[in-house]
Amino acid sequence: MASTFNCDVRFICLSFFVSATKSFCRVNAINILNWYNIYQKYLLLTLLYISEIICVFMLRSMVLDNFQSFDHIELDLTGKNRTVKNHAFIYGENGSGKSNLINAMFLLLVSSGTIRRDTDSAASIDPTGSDESLAELVRALRMIDCEGNTRLDFIFAFNGSDARYVLEFNAAGTLVRECLSNKINSRKGILYRLEEGNEPYFVRGLIKDKRFRDKIRSELAQYWGNRSLLGILNEDIRGSNRQFIDDNVNPNLLSFIDGINSITVESKMFLITKKGQIRLPSGTIPSEDAEKLDVVEKMLSKFFSRLYSDVTGAYFRREIQNGRMDYELFFRKRISGKVREIPADWESTGTKNMMNVMGSLLSCVAGGCVFVDEMDTGVHDLLITSVMEQTIPEIKGQLIATTHNTCLMDTLSADNVYVIGIDRNGFKKIRCVSSIERIRPQNSIRHKYYEGNLMGIPYIANLDLDSIAEIGKEDE
């Protein structure tokens, strides 16, 4: 059985947020105590026994066609000597498409059956419960008024090799092509390929057990197009004995599925939830889950008391009735010479967003693959810059984030700063700063960016607000 982690009993706390987060690959001697989830109002905390992360699942590149505002775009995170960069920050003017990249990762997770949209959201999407859900999401993310299929092409690095996964959808949002390539024995090859109108191709031994193989083929005939093979396999794996799965499914395919399941995505466009969550700043849980609140309380208290000079701690007020516990998060803050207890719901947008940031940072430091959209929303430039200065040297996984915080540029290497540029015809390109211009150690990336040498800055014409106001007067 393949193993990604070499574990002993050293206890550490790590936090993954946003529903798709799971332990990557098989884990030996891991005691998963509790799962929690936060996205905007959710926090996912995990307790693991683990000593060393031997291998992580990292995005090497992404190519998108006819996706939102991209007709064609490529993001390459390959560094020196074919290594994969463990962090990258993506800049660009408003509306340039930074969030599109995070949404592409979200679509990947939905198509793989890893996550579901919150049922209370305005446009609920549940990929595990409705055959129309994936198509609906693809149509929402498809480039408007375009020809050709919507195509997502990912390359992930893990287990010492690369895996390429391609998804292609037609204008109706139906999946028409799916292909996974990875190492087969010691050589690279196609694990499986599914195309509309063609016979499915599976490498020999992809699924050993005949009954299980026949079951998958039957489900493909029934569901593929509305669901991916990865999504079908994910559902079957969750409902099967793990030892049976390990013995009968190609280990590289299984490792890839576990890797996809380990990805964390925070997208401003979508609300993602998962069972076992602690809703913040208030909610209700079974009274026997009180110790879960204890863990969350300690982590929030330590994080925010070190981050904010006026915060002395955080705690939950609790009330038990009929076997259920109602709780609400409070901060202890030093205000006008007195420590006062302030409901977390009264806090600023930035403070609430820092709860999301906390989960993301703990995840990538522990070896997770994390994608965050606008991680600096509402947060002071110097605060998020200081946090990242301390975090980046500790990253053992991968952190990909979009941001407008230009102060952060002065703490980053040019190899880890990416900019989305737009030409006069609206075509877009993502480039690494080090490939645009040679940045010497004494040069400031931020100043180069402000000067317009690195693309991705807004150019504003004269607004002439008086003439705009006159238009309003003419309608009166």
Side-chain angles (χ1 to χ4, degrees):
M1 180 176 69
S3 177
T4 302
F5 298 105
N6 177 26
C7 306
D8 61 16
V9 290
R10 188 179 69 160
F11 179 80
I12 68 170
C13 204
L14 54 111
S15 166
F16 297 93
F17 86 50
V18 185
S19 73
T21 315
K22 295 181 180 179
S23 57
F24 166 49
C25 286
R26 269 70 61 212
V27 180
N28 294 328
I30 287 188
N31 178 20
I32 301 180
L33 300 180
N34 291 304
W35 289 96
Y36 304 79
N37 183 43
I38 183 173
Y39 176 67
Q40 294 179 340
K41 291 188 176 180
Y42 297 82
L43 182 64
L44 177 65
L45 298 167
T46 307
L47 301 177
L48 299 176
Y49 288 97
I50 180 171
S51 65
E52 181 184 2
I53 298 177
I54 295 176
C55 177
V56 292
F57 192 83
M58 301 172 72
L59 178 69
R60 178 181 292 280
S61 67
M62 176 195 307
V63 179
L64 305 175
D65 293 308
N66 293 326
F67 189 87
Q68 292 195 279
S69 62
F70 297 145
D71 71 318
H72 176 83
I73 200 118
E74 301 179 16
L75 172 64
D76 188 355
L77 299 172
T78 302
K80 297 176 181 177
N81 300 319
R82 292 287 300 167
T83 59
V84 180
K85 300 174 186 179
N86 72 346
H87 66 283
F89 290 83
I90 302 167
Y91 292 81
E93 58 185 291
N94 294 101
S96 61
K98 298 184 298 298
S99 298
N100 299 356
L101 302 171
I102 310 301
N103 291 337
M105 297 305 302
F106 177 85
L107 177 56
L108 170 64
L109 299 191
V110 171
S111 68
S112 68
T114 301
I115 56 178
R116 65 180 63 198
R117 287 278 300 279
D118 184 86
T119 54
D120 295 328
S121 61
S124 174
I125 291 183
D126 178 357
T128 63
S130 169
D131 290 343
E132 294 299 320
S133 298
L134 180 58
E136 182 183 345
L137 179 58
V138 172
R139 290 195 298 269
L141 295 174
R142 179 177 169 81
M143 191 180 199
I144 295 174
D145 193 23
C146 70
E147 297 180 358
N149 292 333
T150 296
R151 186 171 179 272
L152 298 86
D153 188 338
F154 303 96
I155 296 180
F156 290 95
F158 73 107
N159 286 349
S161 66
D162 287 347
R164 183 182 181 187
Y165 184 57
V166 179
L167 292 167
E168 196 167 324
F169 302 88
N170 63 20
T174 301
L175 182 61
V176 295
R177 184 170 185 267
E178 179 184 5
C179 183
L180 175 62
S181 304
N182 190 226
K183 187 184 293 184
I184 303 173
N185 297 322
S186 60
R187 303 175 65 182
K188 188 173 181 180
I190 295 175
L191 291 181
Y192 71 83
R193 181 177 59 238
L194 302 169
E195 294 178 314
E196 186 179 51
N198 293 324
E199 282 294 313
Y201 167 79
F202 302 98
V203 69
R204 180 184 294 273
L206 188 71
I207 299 174
K208 297 177 183 177
D209 184 80
K210 184 179 185 305
R211 285 184 297 179
F212 189 46
R213 186 168 63 246
D214 290 344
K215 181 176 183 291
I216 295 299
R217 285 186 177 276
S218 174
E219 291 173 337
L220 279 175
Q222 185 176 358
Y223 297 117
W224 190 81
N226 293 318
R227 300 181 186 181
S228 68
L229 173 57
L230 220 57
I232 292 170
L233 283 170
N234 235 333
E235 190 71 18
D236 285 326
I237 287 171
R238 280 193 288 264
S240 302
N241 177 278
R242 184 66 195 206
Q243 188 60 53
F244 172 82
I245 295 299
D246 289 338
D247 292 342
N248 288 283
V249 178
N250 179 285
N252 289 334
L253 172 59
L254 202 52
S255 292
F256 183 78
I257 291 174
D258 287 336
I260 293 295
N261 290 349
S262 76
I263 294 173
T264 294
V265 175
E266 180 201 350
S267 168
K268 294 295 184 290
M269 184 175 179
F270 300 105
L271 177 64
I272 310 169
T273 64
K274 185 182 177 71
K275 293 182 178 179
Q277 62 197 8
I278 294 293
R279 179 185 287 267
L280 295 178
S282 61
T284 303
I285 59 172
S287 56
E288 60 267 24
D289 290 343
E291 64 181 38
K292 298 178 182 180
L293 278 182
D294 295 338
V295 175
V296 178
E297 187 176 87
K298 289 177 182 178
M299 294 189 73
L300 290 172
S301 185
K302 187 170 185 178
F303 183 76
F304 281 96
S305 62
R306 295 190 176 194
L307 209 60
Y308 291 78
S309 59
D310 60 345
V311 173
T312 63
Y315 74 98
F316 289 107
R317 287 186 182 174
R318 316 177 191 202
E319 183 177 337
I320 298 178
Q321 285 185 336
N322 301 321
R324 304 287 296 176
M325 176 180 290
D326 297 325
Y327 62 88
E328 183 178 4
L329 179 64
F330 280 75
F331 287 108
R332 293 188 178 97
K333 301 185 74 172
R334 192 178 295 105
I335 302 174
S336 299
K338 181 180 179 180
V339 175
R340 306 170 193 265
E341 297 178 347
I342 310 298
D345 199 36
W346 293 9
E347 289 294 338
S348 67
T349 299
T351 297
K352 292 174 181 176
N353 191 50
M354 284 308 298
M355 296 180 191
N356 294 356
V357 172
M358 182 184 89
S360 298
L361 300 186
L362 290 173
S363 177
C364 66
V365 164
C369 184
V370 180
F371 299 82
V372 184
D373 190 21
E374 298 184 7
M375 71 181 305
D376 55 325
T377 298
V379 183
H380 195 289
D381 284 358
L382 297 181
L383 176 59
I384 198 71
T385 299
S386 178
V387 169
M388 293 314 305
E389 280 183 311
Q390 297 183 55
T391 302
I392 287 173
E394 304 298 326
I395 294 176
K396 298 180 181 66
Q398 187 179 43
L399 173 64
I400 310 300
T402 68
T403 181
H404 290 286
N405 185 342
T406 55
C407 289
L408 188 57
M409 286 180 166
D410 287 337
T411 70
L412 298 170
S413 163
D415 289 332
N416 300 103
V417 178
Y418 286 74
V419 180
I420 299 180
I422 310 174
D423 69 17
R424 63 182 60 191
N425 293 314
F427 291 103
K428 301 174 182 180
K429 179 181 292 187
I430 306 175
R431 296 185 64 184
C432 180
V433 163
S434 60
S435 71
I436 300 174
E437 182 173 331
R438 183 179 179 185
I439 307 293
R440 301 180 184 276
Q442 66 270 25
N443 295 148
S444 166
I445 298 176
R446 179 161 54 101
H447 292 160
K448 292 281 188 182
Y449 181 66
Y450 286 163
E451 291 167 359
N453 297 330
L454 304 178
M455 311 186 306
I457 61 171
Y459 292 95
I460 304 173
N462 182 15
L463 291 178
D464 192 5
L465 295 177
D466 286 337
S467 65
I468 296 174
E470 286 297 323
I471 296 174
K473 293 178 181 179
E474 291 172 2
D475 290 339
E476 293 178 359

